[in-house]
Amino acid sequence: MLFPAMSSSIALGGLVGWMLVLTVKHVIADFLLQNAWMAMGKDQRTGWALPLLVHCAIHGVLTTLFVAVVQPKLWFIGLVDFAIHITIDRAKGLCVSHFGVTQGHRWFWWLIGIDQALHHLTDFFLAIFIVANS
């Protein structure tokens, strides 16, 4: 199971479908199921681990469920999503806590934008991997 060579083609319908599924999963996990304890807790200097783990576990579990329903052999994609999500969110949390970034800080929206862009790029590459290995 590898990513296709750059000259390879993959099914556009599959790619669009998985992007939609993973985008809906992202909205559910990041906005519907993430509470204030997770959202604020994961960016603190101390006590960040449990809120971050719970938040990223929600992402991993949802990804595993969605993928396992259609492609059971790719169930492990949820673990990959978890690992990448926790890395991105912890990096953002370190920036927030180290530089004292709050909503009034000029970097606040930059960090939110970069964080979300990295998550969507992750979903894009996961979608490519899923379609290429279907």
Side-chain angles (χ1 to χ4, degrees):
M1 288 189 229
L2 298 172
F3 281 104
M6 294 305 283
S7 62
S8 296
S9 62
I10 60 171
L12 183 59
L15 180 61
V16 170
W18 276 109
M19 277 306 301
L20 288 172
V21 167
L22 292 172
T23 298
V24 167
K25 183 274 311 179
H26 186 84
V27 169
I28 291 169
D30 253 22
F31 300 103
L32 299 178
L33 298 179
Q34 181 174 209
N35 59 29
W37 171 74
M38 287 182 256
M40 292 187 285
K42 65 186 181 179
D43 290 342
Q44 300 303 310
R45 280 189 185 266
T46 60
W48 54 266
L50 188 57
L52 179 63
L53 285 170
V54 170
H55 171 65
C56 294
I58 291 169
H59 275 277
V61 167
L62 288 177
T63 300
T64 299
L65 290 174
F66 287 137
V67 171
V69 165
V70 180
Q71 289 293 329
K73 70 179 183 177
L74 300 177
W75 64 268
F76 62 89
I77 297 294
L79 295 174
V80 174
D81 191 24
F82 170 85
I84 294 170
H85 204 96
I86 204 166
T87 302
I88 293 167
D89 279 12
R90 185 60 191 138
K92 181 177 78 65
L94 286 170
C95 289
V96 167
S97 64
H98 182 75
F99 296 108
V101 177
T102 61
Q103 279 190 333
H105 198 281
R106 67 184 191 144
W107 292 352
F108 178 79
W109 292 109
W110 279 86
L111 286 175
I112 295 289
I114 292 167
D115 171 81
Q116 290 300 301
L118 290 172
H119 291 314
H120 290 295
L121 282 171
T122 300
D123 289 343
F124 179 65
F125 286 111
L126 290 177
I128 291 171
F129 184 84
I130 292 165
V131 173
N133 291 286
S134 295

